[in-house]
Amino acid sequence: EYGTALKHSVINTSYIRALADATRVMKKMKHTQSTYHAQVAPDTLSIKAELNVWAKRAILLGRGTADDIALLRQSEEDSANEEGIEMYGSEADTVQGCMRAMDAIITQAEKKFATQNNENLRPSVDWYNHFIGALARSGTECALAKAQQVLGGMEAYEANGEISKDGRKCYAAPDVITYNGVLFCMTRDGSKSGAVEAKKLLERMNCGTNNVR
């Protein structure tokens, strides 16, 4: 039992320190992009990496112990002192804040892509999958509604159709991971309506698109 507990402790600590290191690298990247924006601009891959860090942070904040979160913050504070780069503010201290940050990152990048038509900044299905996956694990209010809104926008993009009045315009078609994330969100919802929506979604998936059959 002691060995098992020690093993999980090491894995957990390693995860936290890896997340702190990833955060440090990402903040340096953002600092470089803002300082030398003409030479180093955000692109599809850098935004994917940034979203991945936020998603992992949300998981830790939602599932970690108080000691885990304290270790993360101490590691980030040490990095900030060493690097001289300001780390996250209070928005990074809650799962809800992480979800808002991810939503804002995607929305800002979508607007830049739409206005500049920059192929280096083309939204990726991975962006949306990171967001939906984080929503599914967040346990936040309206997580399911937000995930369904994103899926609706992705399906409209795939079908070259119109989005609903309260919908969201997306720039990538869904894949199996997208649908799995929304289904997971529905099962986590725990309501009867969530189960009904999951059944409807599975039926739609069985009808098939190239990405999910």
Side-chain angles (χ1 to χ4, degrees), residues 114-141:
T115 56
Q116 300 173 5
N117 197 26
N118 182 352
E119 286 298 315
N120 290 329
L121 199 58
R122 174 172 286 279
S124 162
V125 63
D126 295 321
W127 294 8
Y128 301 110
N129 287 346
H130 276 313
F131 188 35
I132 290 172
L135 285 168
R137 293 167 174 79
S138 69
T140 56
E141 188 178 358

Side-chain angles (χ1 to χ4, degrees), residues 142-145 148 183-199:
C142 299
L144 176 55
Q148 288 177 306
L183 284 168
F184 184 40
C185 206
M186 289 170 173
T187 59
R188 288 286 300 268
D189 183 65
S191 65
K192 184 177 179 181
S193 61
V196 171
E197 291 296 323
K199 183 175 183 294

Side-chain angles (χ1 to χ4, degrees), residues 140-199:
T140 56
E141 188 178 358
C142 299
L144 176 55
K146 177 68 75 172
Q148 288 177 306
Q149 184 188 51
V150 174
L151 176 61
M154 296 176 77
E155 288 181 329
Y157 175 86
E158 182 179 37
N160 198 25
E162 295 291 328
I163 60 173
S164 61
K165 185 177 180 180
D166 59 345
R168 174 184 181 132
K169 185 173 178 62
C170 295
Y171 295 86
D175 61 10
V176 172
I177 296 173
T178 312
Y179 285 102
N180 283 344
V182 177
L183 284 168
F184 184 40
C185 206
M186 289 170 173
T187 59
R188 288 286 300 268
D189 183 65
S191 65
K192 184 177 179 181
S193 61
V196 171
E197 291 296 323
K199 183 175 183 294

Side-chain angles (χ1 to χ4, degrees), residues 33 35-41:
Q33 288 172 348
T35 305
Y36 306 101
H37 54 86
Q39 292 81 19
V40 186

